[in-house]
Amino acid sequence: MRADAQRNRDRIVEVARGVFKEKGYDAPLDEIARLAGVGPGTLYRHFPARENLIDAVQQELADRVNSMADKAIAHEGGPRERLLAWFEQYVELLTAHPGAAARVTTAMGDEASPIASKCKIYAGANTRVLAELRAEGAMRDGVDDLQVVRLVGGVAAIADQSRLGPEAIGPMLEVLADGVLKG
Amino acid sequence: MRADAQRNRDRIVEVARGVFKEKGYDAPLDEIARLAGVGPGTLYRHFPARENLIDAVQQELADRVNSMADKAIAHEGGPRERLLAWFEQYVELLTAHPGAAARVTTAMGDEASPIASKCKIYAGANTRVLAELRAEGAMRDGVDDLQVVRLVGGVAAIADQSRLGPEAIGPMLEVLADGVLKG
DNA sequence: AACGATACGGAGACAGTCTCCGTTTGGCAA
DNA sequence: TTGCCAAACGGAGACTGTCTCCGTATCGTT
């Protein structure tokens, strides 16, 4: 890639991160182009669809999710505490950008989605936490990893769109934990 | 209301029901106006916001939800079977129109929403089912009705947007049921 | 320095939302 | 019936956001 093209691409992603965080994933793309000091054509050449830009912006979140999973696994307490710690971290991550939770969770399991690579990273982190619990015999039989990541993502999506706080999210995640764990 | 106004309003709702069912709740309103044989101005006078039109269209669904709850309560089997029957019926209702589940569940608990009246009806039906189970002592302590209707709505929203079938939805609802019931 | 490939930018086509206002219509009162 | 006017209509067009096309500029190589 030509040096000027790389520079423009980087600036677009950087600006988009800020705008998306503030205004959500439906923010006008032409405005991002303007703030990045490039024409709309340049933005659309680098990112043919909005989802491609979202994918680039989410690299930052994907970089954090695995250390989150590690922290949850190392969390003190029984399986329920560790699972809840993971759920809470994951919801917090997904609600970092308004509109992210619904998009990510919708794309989960869809290989053709432009954000499939990020979904894979999130799903992988979730699987690591669940594998740990499953090895301890704490998980109910028949519970699938993809189901769980969709359920938690669903909670995150509702929380995001309804602007729910931790006091409303916490009890919902507890229901999920009780449904996932033997008990 | 003048007779011609009432006639136009009814035709708009009727046409909107068909278009929404086919194209989802984001379908162009001007197209609905055109198909109903009225100008855009007429549509927007009757329904200042899209949500107001959605509210009118959903009257049909709201009329059905209570008999669904009755059927679930009368369902043969234990608490788990009855709760699952209700969850499945509710998800089916919410996914009858693409885009409905997310909107309804997002508005749940928000008095100011234009579709608040419909949310109240759905929430009321859910509460009736849960009250029955709670009276039998089948429910876990601390589980709130609003939480449950949001969780099931979240599943419906993800199922709607990801085009999931019953084989993917069923297991998720089982996790919810296990999290809601004593077990 | 010259040149060709690569990338840029912004005008503008297009789609959907929503409003404003001149025109029409329904229903009541004389 | 007729006349009146409040109520309702409709559609042109302003506005916003998406996305493309193509003449122009720039990069990096020879």
Side-chain angles (χ1 to χ4, degrees):
Chain A
M1 183 181 294
R2 237 168 68 174
D4 55 342
Q6 185 67 59
R7 224 171 19 243
N8 280 327
R9 193 183 191 284
D10 292 346
R11 293 203 54 204
I12 291 168
V13 173
E14 188 187 351
V15 168
R17 182 141 36 223
V19 174
F20 282 164
K21 196 175 274 180
E22 194 190 341
K23 296 196 168 189
Y25 279 10
D26 292 324
L29 297 185
D30 280 21
E31 183 189 344
I32 291 172
R34 191 173 48 74
L35 290 173
V38 303
T42 299
L43 187 149
Y44 284 96
R45 195 169 333 99
H46 284 296
F47 306 101
R50 176 181 293 270
E51 301 286 305
N52 297 117
L53 180 52
I54 290 175
D55 187 67
V57 164
Q58 281 207 343
Q59 188 55 54
E60 189 196 24
L61 301 183
D63 289 343
R64 281 162 48 199
V65 76
N66 272 302
S67 72
M68 281 185 167
D70 291 336
K71 252 192 289 184
I73 290 172
H75 199 276
E76 59 182 8
R80 192 168 188 273
E81 282 69 36
R82 278 175 284 152
L83 185 59
L84 280 175
W86 162 243
F87 283 175
E88 278 158 23
Q89 295 260 302
Y90 184 62
V91 169
E92 197 182 318
L93 189 84
L94 280 193
T95 52
H97 301 169
R103 281 176 192 268
V104 167
T105 306
T106 294
M108 199 65 74
D110 172 13
E111 292 285 336
S113 164
I115 60 171
S117 67
K118 299 302 167 293
C119 290
K120 271 221 171 79
I121 294 173
Y122 298 145
N126 178 67
T127 287
R128 282 178 47 228
V129 176
L130 296 189
E132 187 77 17
L133 296 171
R134 197 171 276 123
E136 298 173 27
M139 298 270 293
R140 274 182 210 269
D141 297 334
V143 175
D144 178 65
D145 294 0
L146 183 55
Q147 284 164 28
V148 174
V149 82
R150 277 187 177 136
L151 283 162
V152 182
V155 169
I158 299 301
D160 174 24
Q161 284 159 23
S162 298
R163 309 248 161 202
L164 302 182
E167 78 289 347
I169 297 172
M172 288 197 276
L173 295 180
E174 289 188 40
V175 170
L176 291 189
D178 289 334
V180 164
L181 297 173
K182 277 182 182 161
Chain B
M1 184 181 296
R2 241 167 64 173
D4 55 342
Q6 183 68 58
R7 220 168 24 242
N8 280 328
R9 193 183 191 284
D10 292 346
R11 292 204 55 205
I12 290 168
V13 173
E14 189 187 347
V15 168
R17 183 146 28 229
V19 174
F20 282 164
K21 195 174 277 179
E22 195 191 338
K23 295 194 168 192
Y25 279 11
D26 292 324
L29 297 185
D30 280 20
E31 183 188 343
I32 292 172
R34 191 174 49 74
L35 290 174
V38 302
T42 299
L43 187 149
Y44 284 98
R45 196 172 329 98
H46 285 294
F47 306 100
R50 177 182 293 269
E51 301 284 306
N52 297 117
L53 180 53
I54 289 175
D55 187 68
V57 164
Q58 282 207 339
Q59 188 55 52
E60 190 197 23
L61 300 183
D63 290 342
R64 281 163 48 198
V65 75
N66 272 303
S67 73
M68 280 186 168
D70 291 336
K71 250 190 289 178
I73 291 171
H75 199 276
E76 60 182 8
R80 193 168 187 273
E81 283 68 36
R82 278 176 284 152
L83 186 59
L84 278 175
W86 162 242
F87 284 174
E88 278 160 20
Q89 296 260 303
Y90 184 62
V91 169
E92 196 181 321
L93 188 84
L94 280 193
T95 52
H97 300 169
R103 280 175 193 269
V104 168
T105 306
T106 293
M108 199 65 74
D110 172 13
E111 292 285 335
S113 165
I115 60 171
S117 66
K118 300 301 168 292
C119 290
K120 271 220 172 76
I121 294 172
Y122 298 145
N126 177 67
T127 287
R128 283 177 47 229
V129 176
L130 296 190
E132 187 78 14
L133 296 172
R134 197 172 275 122
E136 298 173 27
M139 296 270 291
R140 272 180 212 270
D141 297 333
V143 174
D144 179 64
D145 293 1
L146 183 53
Q147 285 164 27
V148 175
V149 83
R150 278 189 177 135
L151 283 163
V152 183
V155 170
I158 299 300
D160 173 21
Q161 285 159 23
S162 298
R163 311 251 161 198
L164 301 182
E167 78 290 346
I169 298 172
M172 289 197 275
L173 295 180
E174 289 189 40
V175 170
L176 290 189
D178 289 333
V180 164
L181 298 174
K182 277 181 182 162

